[in-house]
Amino acid sequence: AKGDDDNEVSTGSVYIFTRENNSWTQSAKLTASDGAYADQFGNALSLQGNTIAVGNKSGAVYIFTKDGTTWSQTAKLTASDGAGYFGTSISLHGDTVAVGAYYDDDKGYASGSVFIFTRENDAWTQSAKLTASDGKTQDYFGDAVSISDNFLVVGAPNNNDKAGSLYIFTKKEGTWEETLKLTAADWGTKHYFGTEVSMHGNTVAITSLGDDRGKGAVFMFDYPGSGSVLGGYILGSGKMTTKKIIVAIIVLLLAIAAIVGINKLQKRREG
């Protein structure tokens, strides 16, 4: 609730709800220990297990941990160089948290960056700062982030004249390396591919808000892969309809049938 005003106007807060016997009840309300006017604490958050990371619009990420039934603030993270809009996107996985700062200016105004923090013996330290290899002014790299094991996906919705791009980083021997870039440049401008991203295991979901004349779309693919967008393509027009779901299923079945047919034909030719 980034507009909450427990301390000052729009200092913000986060509400925790827990489920028991299919019933949800509020179990905690979190605020920053140093919350101030217009901080908008709760602007971004990520929860895993007994740890939650919460960002604000003043350039900080707060770490809370749960002991028993009690949540306590255990750390406050900030950018080592005061990067702009640090904390507007967050992804937590195990003892690693990725924090986006899409207004950072290492490669030009609002080119963007992502900071990596790791936890050891309950202490969090900055272990890396990532930027796009081809980053430039107003790319908004870091507007969205998602981390899973040794993979990190970063959205840059303004890249390629606002067509948008997605960058994938892989952690190898303790070092994060950019290994793939997915781009929507051939779709025209203002698709904003990469505005939101989510990764679970090897599956990645990416939004494209401007797709289909502003109706929007979600693309899904598996990584590691060939670098092309695979899997589902879901049109959005406020909500999914039964008709659209049926059409999507039919298209998917036809695609599978076509692939099977091509493979059979190829085997016959080889035979």
Side-chain angles (χ1 to χ4, degrees):
K2 62 182 181 181
D4 204 355
D5 57 1
D6 280 12
N7 296 319
E8 292 281 353
V9 175
S10 295
T11 50
S13 63
V14 170
Y15 291 79
I16 306 294
F17 290 80
T18 53
R19 180 175 57 187
E20 186 174 355
N21 298 325
N22 294 323
S23 179
W24 289 88
T25 56
Q26 182 183 324
S27 55
K29 179 179 181 179
L30 311 179
T31 58
S33 59
D34 57 354
Y37 174 82
D39 270 353
Q40 295 190 24
F41 173 88
N43 182 65
L45 58 82
S46 184
L47 168 68
Q48 188 181 59
N50 292 325
T51 304
I52 184 171
V54 183
N56 67 13
K57 281 198 170 182
S58 297
V61 171
Y62 297 81
I63 305 294
F64 292 79
T65 54
K66 184 180 179 182
D67 184 8
T69 59
T70 302
W71 289 91
S72 302
Q73 182 182 317
T74 53
K76 177 183 178 181
L77 312 179
T78 57
S80 56
D81 55 2
Y85 283 14
F86 172 91
T88 51
S89 62
I90 305 171
S91 183
L92 176 68
H93 184 83
D95 291 321
T96 303
V97 63
V99 182
Y102 73 87
Y103 244 61
D104 202 0
D105 57 4
D106 282 15
K107 294 193 172 183
Y109 173 72
S111 54
S113 64
V114 172
F115 292 78
I116 305 295
F117 292 82
T118 53
R119 174 172 54 189
E120 187 174 357
N121 298 325
D122 295 327
W124 290 87
T125 56
Q126 182 181 319
S127 56
K129 179 180 180 179
L130 310 177
T131 57
S133 57
D134 57 353
K136 60 182 184 302
T137 298
Q138 292 189 327
D139 271 355
Y140 282 15
F141 174 90
D143 188 42
V145 296
S146 186
I147 189 170
S148 180
D149 294 322
N150 292 323
F151 298 109
L152 170 70
V153 292
V154 183
N158 278 15
N159 185 243
N160 289 329
D161 198 17
K162 299 182 180 179
S165 297
L166 182 80
Y167 295 81
I168 297 182
F169 291 80
T170 305
K171 187 178 181 182
K172 299 177 180 178
E173 297 180 356
T175 301
W176 290 93
E177 300 176 2
E178 183 184 319
T179 51
L180 182 65
K181 177 183 178 182
L182 296 177
T183 181
D186 57 340
W187 299 338
T189 63
K190 297 184 179 179
H191 279 253
Y192 304 110
F193 178 77
T195 304
E196 296 291 345
V197 299
S198 183
M199 187 174 197
H200 181 73
N202 290 334
T203 301
V204 183
I206 317 115
T207 64
S208 180
L209 296 184
D211 197 81
D212 195 29
R213 299 180 181 180
K215 293 179 181 179
V218 176
F219 292 83
M220 300 181 70
F221 74 98
D222 291 328
Y223 182 81
S226 62
S228 59
V229 177
L230 307 174
Y233 173 62
I234 307 173
L235 289 177
S237 58
K239 62 179 180 180
M240 286 295 291
T241 64
T242 302
K243 181 179 179 181
K244 287 179 179 177
I245 294 173
I246 293 172
V247 170
I249 292 172
I250 292 172
V251 170
L252 180 60
L253 291 175
L254 288 173
I256 293 172
I259 293 171
V260 172
I262 291 171
N263 288 339
K264 286 183 177 179
L265 180 60
Q266 185 176 358
K267 288 181 179 179
R268 288 176 182 173
R269 288 176 176 174
E270 291 174 351

